[in-house]
Amino acid sequence: MSKPAYTERDGCLYVDFGQSADGTAARAVTPPQDIQLTEFMKEWLHMMTSQLRHNTLDGYWYMFRRHIEPFFSARRLTFRTLTRSDFQDFIDMKYAEGYSPTSIVKFHSILHKCLKYAVIQGLIDYNLSDCVILPKKTKYISHTFTLDQLNRFLAEARSSPAEPAFVLAAAYGLRRSEVAGLRWKAIDFTTGAISINHTAISSCGRVTYSDRVKTASSYRTLPLTAGIKSYLLRLQREQSEMQLHYGPDYHQSDYVCCRENGKPLRPDYISQEFAKVCKQGNLPHIRFHDLRHTAATLLLQNGFSLKQIQEWMGHSDIATTANTYAHVTYSDKVDMAECMNGLLQMSII
């Protein structure tokens, strides 16, 4: 049986459940407030297909199926019977089950967005999920390579098929999706510029290529340095040689980061190779995304402003840049302490 379709008429919600076992159309008339929350959420998630990136929507569906639907379906809650305590019970149960505050906040966010739409539709007067007490999130502290560690990593990565992804992420602080989605046509060797305008995202075992980037600010153009230009021209020559070697078996694509046979590198493979190279080089275990943090931290330590780093990294809001990178290393604190000591001319007897 196909999923139900809803039509509102005369103050009632007509629910079309498709064909019944005897072949006749099975219809039911349900007042809008008596629709179950989980059924409404399914329709809302289908509607969000045009609003969210594939991997984000896949994550929403997973959290709904795995966490939200079992809880609210068991209570058979409708918009008429929902109470604030139902949402608090859900939050408390997930916390008791050992889920992290970050995960619980994500579960709540999906519920909140869905109920916000329900308010717009007039099914409820206000967003009941506003009234819950959420566990306090613990701020993630990124771990980065030092400059020496970064150079050691890049030297160790020379034999890896994912080396181009590592070089680009280290030099420009690109996201994994941006690295995997970078195409040769986005690189202008004449004007010396790289355009970030295409992404590759892994989700549920498939890779989705899209001209949609994370935010509007993620569309950006970065200068092609002499070292990166030389590296990319050499890489382009090597790929042309591989194309001749493989002949008709070569996978034709325009992606910069690819295997010997031309197949583009999957984003999840890039992360796996990153962990492998770190282990081989006896380097600290950090995430591939931390190469992005490393690039930003090195720029900050070399005197570039948060505003400059915001535009370089493609952050939509300088607050994101400030919250992530406005930390001060201990050596800087020592220098600052010595400066203040000199300014105040303090002496300890």
Side-chain angles (χ1 to χ4, degrees):
M1 184 180 292
S2 60
K3 67 183 181 67
Y6 304 102
T7 305
E8 188 173 354
R9 189 167 71 251
D10 301 326
C12 291
L13 199 65
Y14 286 74
V15 187
D16 186 354
F17 290 98
Q19 297 293 316
S20 62
D22 61 3
T24 60
R27 283 187 174 270
V29 181
T30 306
Q33 284 75 20
D34 288 337
I35 187 72
Q36 284 197 31
L37 172 62
T38 51
E39 291 302 312
F40 181 83
M41 284 197 75
K42 289 175 188 176
E43 291 301 311
W44 175 75
L45 285 167
H46 284 298
M47 186 188 69
M48 294 299 288
T49 301
S50 63
Q51 305 297 313
L52 301 171
R53 294 200 299 175
H54 289 293
N55 63 321
T56 303
L57 185 60
D58 286 343
Y60 277 28
W61 272 109
Y62 175 80
M63 286 184 275
F64 171 73
R65 296 291 192 193
R66 178 70 177 80
H67 301 283
I68 297 170
E69 186 176 32
F71 178 88
F72 288 96
S73 287
R75 296 193 175 194
R76 303 183 63 83
L77 293 166
T78 68
F79 286 105
R80 195 184 301 278
T81 60
L82 271 173
T83 65
R84 290 174 290 182
S85 62
D86 291 312
F87 295 97
Q88 190 65 58
D89 289 347
F90 172 73
I91 298 300
D92 294 344
M93 184 185 79
K94 290 301 165 184
Y95 187 75
E97 289 175 354
Y99 288 94
S100 69
T102 299
S103 295
I104 294 171
V105 168
K106 289 180 180 178
F107 304 156
H108 174 263
S109 175
I110 298 172
L111 284 164
H112 188 272
K113 290 175 182 177
C114 181
L115 265 67
K116 183 178 179 180
Y117 180 68
V119 172
I120 294 171
Q121 294 298 307
L123 297 177
I124 47 178
D125 295 330
Y126 63 96
N127 196 325
L128 293 166
S129 67
D130 275 337
C131 307
V132 302
I133 299 174
L134 293 168
K136 188 174 181 180
K137 288 178 66 176
T138 54
K139 184 178 179 181
Y140 174 78
I141 300 175
S142 61
H143 300 282
T144 59
F145 283 148
T146 64
L147 181 57
D148 176 65
Q149 289 170 335
L150 180 59
N151 283 317
R152 282 169 49 202
F153 169 81
L154 292 175
E156 189 70 33
R158 284 172 187 159
S159 59
S160 170
E163 184 201 19
F166 302 150
V167 170
L168 290 163
Y172 292 105
L174 301 185
R175 301 176 177 93
R176 188 180 70 170
S177 60
E178 295 169 344
V179 166
L182 184 65
R183 297 170 293 182
W184 285 111
K185 68 180 180 181
I187 301 172
D188 191 327
F189 290 106
T190 303
T191 61
I194 297 179
S195 297
I196 309 303
N197 54 20
H198 190 75
T199 58
I201 298 170
S202 292
S203 180
C204 297
R206 72 177 187 271
V207 178
T208 302
Y209 295 94
S210 171
D211 289 337
R212 290 180 66 181
V213 294
K214 187 172 184 181
T215 65
S217 300
S218 297
Y219 290 103
R220 58 201 189 279
T221 300
L222 300 171
L224 192 63
T225 64
I228 295 296
K229 180 179 180 179
S230 176
Y231 175 83
L232 290 174
L233 286 171
R234 185 173 72 251
L235 179 64
Q236 200 173 55
R237 288 194 300 270
E238 290 172 356
Q239 290 183 359
S240 296
E241 292 169 3
M242 286 296 103
Q243 186 171 356
L244 290 173
H245 174 75
Y246 279 90
D249 294 328
Y250 190 81
H251 186 94
Q252 298 290 343
S253 84
D254 191 42
Y255 291 98
V256 174
C257 300
C258 59
R259 295 178 182 271
E260 279 191 353
N261 65 356
K263 287 198 73 172
L265 296 183
R266 294 174 56 92
D268 48 355
Y269 173 79
I270 292 172
S271 292
Q272 292 164 8
E273 274 294 296
F274 178 77
K276 180 180 174 183
V277 172
C278 286
K279 186 175 182 181
Q280 288 175 347
N282 197 28
L283 289 158
H285 176 70
I286 64 174
R287 309 168 306 164
F288 175 80
H289 193 73
D290 289 328
L291 281 182
R292 177 171 165 83
H293 293 318
T294 298
T297 300
L298 289 172
L299 289 171
L300 186 66
Q301 290 175 343
N302 280 272
F304 292 95
S305 70
L306 287 174
K307 182 62 178 176
Q308 289 172 313
I309 295 171
Q310 175 203 353
E311 294 178 359
W312 182 269
M313 304 298 285
H315 288 152
S316 58
D317 190 339
I318 196 169
T320 302
T321 314
N323 291 336
T324 308
Y325 303 115
H327 54 276
V328 182
T329 63
Y330 189 75
S331 60
D332 291 333
K333 290 179 182 177
V334 171
D335 293 340
M336 292 163 71
E338 291 297 330
C339 176
M340 289 302 296
N341 185 69
L343 290 172
L344 299 175
Q345 298 181 345
M346 294 177 64
S347 60
I348 301 175
I349 300 175

